[in-house]
Amino acid sequence: MQTILNVEGMSCSHCENAVKTAVLALNGVMDVKVDLAAKLVTVTHDESRNIESIKITIEAQGYTVAD
């Protein structure tokens, strides 16, 4: 399954790598794509991965997930 999140505060490749690395470390996450210009993070994950935990992981990196 795919989840697309609106993420505020990302502006560079360091931001992209921080989000990718943190989210990929979660069990059940298979792929993460970051679009800095559109402020979108697309996460491919299995159904066992709670979307809220993905949001919390991104926010722990210092970014804001918009609803």
Side-chain angles (χ1 to χ4, degrees):
M1 97 187 288
Q2 251 187 2
T3 299
I4 299 173
L5 301 168
N6 223 343
V7 180
E8 299 289 328
M10 299 184 302
S11 61
C12 64
S13 62
H14 171 74
C15 300
E16 180 179 351
N17 289 333
V19 169
K20 277 184 170 181
T21 301
V23 176
L24 277 171
L26 297 172
N27 289 334
V29 173
M30 294 161 271
D31 190 37
V32 179
K33 292 189 180 5
V34 176
D35 184 336
L36 292 175
K39 300 179 182 177
L40 296 176
V41 175
T42 304
V43 182
T44 304
H45 56 94
D46 62 33
E47 292 180 16
S48 69
R49 174 50 48 202
N50 181 325
I51 294 168
E52 193 61 33
S53 66
I54 295 171
K55 291 179 182 180
I56 290 169
T57 300
I58 292 170
E59 290 178 344
Q61 298 305 306
Y63 307 104
T64 303
V65 179
D67 288 327

